Amino acid sequence: MIKKLLYSLIFFTINTPLFASEGSTELLNYWYMVLPFVALLLMIATGPLFYHHFWEKHYPKIAIAMGVITVTFYIVVLHDTVSLMHTLAEYLSFIALLASLFVASGGILIKVDKKATPMLNVLILIFGSIIANVIGTTGASMLLIRPFIKINKDRIKPYHIVFFIFSVSNIGGALTPIGDPPLFLGFLRGVEFFWVIQHVWYIWAPTLIVLMSIFYVLDSMNKSGNDAEKDYSGKIEFKGLKNIGFLAIIIISVFIDPNVQSWVPSLAPLPFGIRELIMFSIVYLSYKYADKEALRANEFDFEPIREVAYLFAGLFATMIPALQLIAIEAHEYGEELNAGLFYWSTGSLSAFLDNAPTYLNFLSAEMGKFGMDVTNKTAVHEFQMLHPLYLSAISVGAVFFGAMSYIGNAPNFMVKSISERAGINMPSFFGYMIKYSIPILIPIFVIVWYVFYYGQG
Amino acid sequence: MSKIEDVLKTDKKGLHYGNRLILPFPIDILKVNIKNDIITDFSTSDVGAEYIVRDDYTEIYFHDYKSLMETVAKYAVIKMVVVEKGTDIFDQGNHKILSIDILDKHIVDIKEIHDDQIFIE
């Protein structure tokens, strides 16, 4: 198993010169064009840890510069503007959804005046995991992390935040394309909206139950704050409720796509549609008309979404050659790969790299194995019908393993940042993994693999 | 010597210039949060932050940032746990959590942290 996994990882990450392209064999001669992608991913992983202030100041320039290298290559050497326009359209859809969810949920304040108990905490985490599928892991994290900290003010420990990241910011959002960015990218590529919930809920539910049971035991042992004598009104108050309306519009607009609803006009050749226009308008309106008190209490800051926008601009551009090369080469080496290996490969990389591009790479690889092209929406639709086990493996791998490190998924960093601003000393990058994610999540993920993917596909 | 209580009551403002913050009362600082940084080590004069307590005011230098105005976002604040000079630092009842809002024209608005904001000591 380990040998196969290593083979798979090496195959997808290091051995890039092997990659070839049927459609554009010319790309084979330029295998090194995946290097800007690899370099950017490495810098995203190491920048915030080892050269924090330099990275904080220069990451926009670095991300854009890496993207420009690839874009220039496609225009000047390959004369391929179609791939670039396709990627630009996908990026605009992606960032429109994330930005609108981020800004709209940032203007909502929830105040809960209840005594913290392990059971109440479990209920909040389960509630967050469910609504993550409606307003995204980003939206749910933004909405609930502050009330969660506030309720536990007298007994808060880093594990509270870590389990919040595990459930609400990652695993919870595995049921719909709105839940987590990788699944939204899959939806944009042609995976049906309700396909994920139909094929993942029976993995999602037991995983969450196990996770919540561990949390409950841990939290029951935390006796801090028990002696604080306080009166609790039990009230739950909301501020900025009009932003709930904006959130509803965002969710509805996800379906306003000419490929989903025939009445929706296409704005082609523009690289965006009505859906993106609505979402970007929500960014503006939900900020302009937000309850200022709610923004202030949430310490709203555009910096987290600005960071995601710049980094993903670079990632989307630099990953074009990687996607194209992997898809074709997997066709040749596909026999070696089964659903279990795709689960571990997607998961292992999603733990450290952004899980959205990782998912796309492996979707491309899986489809390549069966001689299908990820850039063709009809082919993606056909793939989900014919090989659901494979699609489920990368969907679960990309979403679940995003919880393995702070850099696995965009909300992880946002939650860490909000917690630190609340004065909580969060574990370091490696502390998070050694103390929490490896001992708690890896055994759970092994069980998921054994039960659902081992020996299948 | 100005007391925190009086400054809060009279809404007296502090000042900021570049990375220097000036608060109009003498205090000892136990913990500061600026952006994502939690600073508890004030022992060095080249990284993190250092503070100098004067008779009537306290000045704090944030070494990792050039400008507080550019660092702290519109709806964000600097938060700190402080103890009034002359009071018992070991009595947690004397610890106050302040929120420092960086405004235009070098002005700093100082408030005790309000109910909606969170800062765990």
Side-chain angles (χ1 to χ4, degrees):
Chain A
M1 166 63 205
I2 291 170
K3 199 175 154 193
K4 277 190 172 182
L5 173 63
L6 278 174
Y7 169 80
S8 168
L9 282 176
I10 291 166
F11 169 72
F12 282 113
T13 55
I14 300 168
N15 210 4
T16 44
L18 283 174
F19 296 154
S21 167
E22 277 176 356
S24 58
T25 47
E26 204 184 349
L27 201 55
L28 178 64
N29 302 322
Y30 303 103
W31 61 267
Y32 48 82
M33 281 314 296
V34 298
L35 291 180
F37 179 58
V38 176
L40 183 56
L41 288 174
L42 284 175
M43 281 188 281
I44 290 171
T46 56
L49 306 172
F50 302 119
Y51 37 99
H52 173 61
H53 286 288
F54 172 83
W55 179 248
E56 199 174 73
K57 201 173 166 189
H58 298 293
Y59 75 81
K61 286 170 249 171
I62 293 169
I64 297 301
M66 292 292 168
V68 166
I69 294 173
T70 307
V71 169
T72 310
F73 168 76
Y74 269 75
I75 294 172
V76 176
V77 181
L78 297 182
H79 308 291
D80 176 7
T81 51
V82 176
S83 300
L84 296 178
M85 286 306 284
H86 187 81
T87 304
L88 176 62
E90 210 158 61
Y91 171 74
L92 289 175
S93 287
F94 170 78
I95 204 65
L97 177 69
L98 265 191
S100 53
L101 287 173
F102 175 81
V103 178
S105 55
I108 301 168
L109 176 66
I110 306 175
K111 289 161 75 174
V112 184
D113 190 30
K114 280 182 185 286
K115 183 176 167 56
T117 62
M119 187 45 78
L120 178 64
N121 285 338
V122 165
L123 290 175
I124 293 171
L125 294 180
I126 291 175
F127 174 70
S129 301
I130 293 168
I131 64 159
N133 294 292
V134 183
I135 57 171
T137 48
T138 304
S141 300
M142 286 289 294
L143 209 58
L144 292 178
I145 185 61
R146 289 183 186 86
F148 187 64
I149 294 173
K150 193 102 192 278
I151 288 171
N152 289 285
K153 200 174 150 200
D154 296 321
R155 59 194 298 278
I156 194 104
K157 303 274 183 219
Y159 76 80
H160 283 106
I161 310 301
V162 171
F163 273 83
F164 187 95
I165 292 175
F166 286 174
S167 53
V168 182
S169 308
N170 288 278
I171 295 169
L175 297 183
T176 69
I178 302 170
D180 216 29
L183 304 181
F184 187 65
L185 286 186
F187 173 67
L188 292 177
R189 291 274 171 167
V191 177
E192 272 175 28
F193 188 88
F194 292 107
W195 185 93
V196 201
I197 193 164
Q198 284 165 1
H199 292 83
V200 171
W201 73 267
Y202 53 85
I203 304 172
W204 177 89
T207 305
L208 261 185
I209 289 169
V210 172
L211 199 59
M212 289 303 101
S213 306
I214 298 169
F215 174 79
Y216 183 83
V217 172
L218 261 181
D219 208 26
S220 299
M221 293 190 290
N222 178 1
K223 303 295 178 198
S224 323
N226 279 359
D227 46 349
E229 283 182 20
K230 275 185 188 171
D231 289 330
Y232 296 92
S233 65
K235 270 187 188 171
I236 301 176
E237 286 177 56
F238 294 89
K239 262 185 196 170
L241 270 183
K242 59 188 157 195
N243 278 28
I244 299 270
F246 286 126
L247 282 176
I249 297 171
I250 296 166
I251 308 310
I252 294 165
S253 69
V254 166
F255 299 95
I256 302 179
D257 181 323
N259 295 310
V260 181
Q261 313 276 345
S262 56
W263 57 268
V264 179
S266 165
L267 301 186
L270 292 173
F272 52 83
I274 303 280
R275 174 178 57 200
E276 287 70 34
L277 286 178
I278 294 172
M279 287 177 177
F280 282 125
S281 306
I282 296 291
V283 171
Y284 174 75
L285 294 171
S286 62
Y287 180 68
K288 190 177 179 196
Y289 296 107
D291 185 316
K292 300 294 179 257
E293 268 185 61
L295 287 177
R296 190 163 287 281
N298 285 340
E299 295 181 57
F300 184 83
D301 187 351
F302 277 105
E303 180 56 30
I305 197 65
R306 181 176 171 265
E307 185 175 357
V308 169
Y310 273 113
L311 293 181
F312 275 84
L315 285 171
F316 268 71
T318 54
M319 75 180 174
I320 304 172
L323 281 176
Q324 292 179 342
L325 289 168
I326 284 173
I328 301 308
E329 202 58 27
H331 181 51
E332 193 175 335
Y333 293 89
E335 291 308 311
E336 301 285 333
L337 308 167
N338 56 37
L341 276 170
F342 273 110
Y343 166 77
W344 283 111
S345 307
T346 314
S348 308
L349 292 182
S350 294
F352 302 102
L353 310 178
D354 282 301
N355 56 2
T358 305
Y359 169 92
L360 256 197
N361 274 297
F362 282 94
L363 177 61
S364 174
E366 283 187 335
M367 291 185 64
K369 173 182 164 75
F370 296 104
M372 295 167 147
D373 179 8
V374 74
T375 58
N376 181 335
K377 272 196 173 183
T378 316
V380 174
H381 188 77
E382 199 182 328
F383 178 71
Q384 70 165 34
M385 310 286 282
L386 295 174
H387 307 287
L389 190 70
Y390 280 85
L391 190 53
S392 150
I394 60 162
S395 303
V396 170
V399 177
F400 282 20
F401 281 72
M404 282 298 296
S405 77
Y406 283 136
I407 55 174
N409 197 15
N412 302 7
F413 245 122
M414 293 179 190
V415 168
K416 177 178 182 274
S417 158
I418 289 167
S419 306
E420 284 169 341
R421 286 172 192 221
I424 301 163
N425 268 314
M426 291 297 292
S428 68
F429 181 85
F430 295 108
Y432 174 92
M433 293 187 63
I434 291 164
K435 209 170 163 192
Y436 298 102
S437 68
I438 291 174
I440 297 168
L441 292 181
I442 289 295
I444 297 176
F445 294 165
V446 168
I447 295 169
V448 168
W449 162 74
Y450 189 76
V451 174
F452 297 103
Y453 302 113
Y454 177 64
Q456 298 185 54
Chain B
M1 188 169 78
S2 302
K3 288 193 169 291
I4 298 176
E5 200 92 338
D6 301 334
V7 167
L8 295 175
K9 251 187 222 164
T10 57
D11 200 24
K12 190 172 177 178
K13 306 294 184 195
L15 295 166
H16 69 91
Y17 290 89
N19 69 344
R20 183 188 184 200
L21 177 67
I22 306 169
L23 301 177
F25 35 69
I27 45 170
D28 264 316
I29 302 174
L30 300 172
K31 183 174 179 178
V32 173
N33 161 244
I34 175 168
K35 277 192 103 176
N36 293 352
D37 290 339
I38 298 171
I39 306 168
T40 49
D41 180 355
F42 301 95
S43 62
T44 63
S45 57
D46 50 356
V47 288
E50 71 174 310
Y51 67 94
I52 301 161
V53 189
R54 309 283 185 192
D55 284 345
D56 288 322
Y57 61 93
T58 307
E59 47 188 327
I60 307 146
Y61 294 87
F62 291 92
H63 296 298
D64 297 328
Y65 303 99
K66 273 187 181 168
S67 159
L68 295 176
M69 191 73 205
E70 286 169 19
T71 301
V72 182
K74 187 178 176 186
Y75 292 106
V77 291
I78 299 172
K79 289 175 275 191
M80 52 178 74
V81 183
V82 304
V83 183
E84 187 123 38
K85 197 181 172 190
T87 60
D88 182 3
I89 198 168
F90 300 103
D91 179 354
Q92 293 223 329
N94 290 330
H95 295 188
K96 288 186 188 304
I97 302 180
L98 302 179
S99 102
I100 314 289
D101 200 353
I102 305 294
L103 305 175
D104 286 339
K105 296 178 181 173
H106 305 289
I107 291 170
V108 160
D109 190 27
I110 308 157
K111 291 204 163 45
E112 224 166 338
I113 203 151
H114 68 78
D115 203 35
D116 289 342
Q117 291 172 312
I118 326 160
F119 193 55
I120 314 289
E121 184 175 344

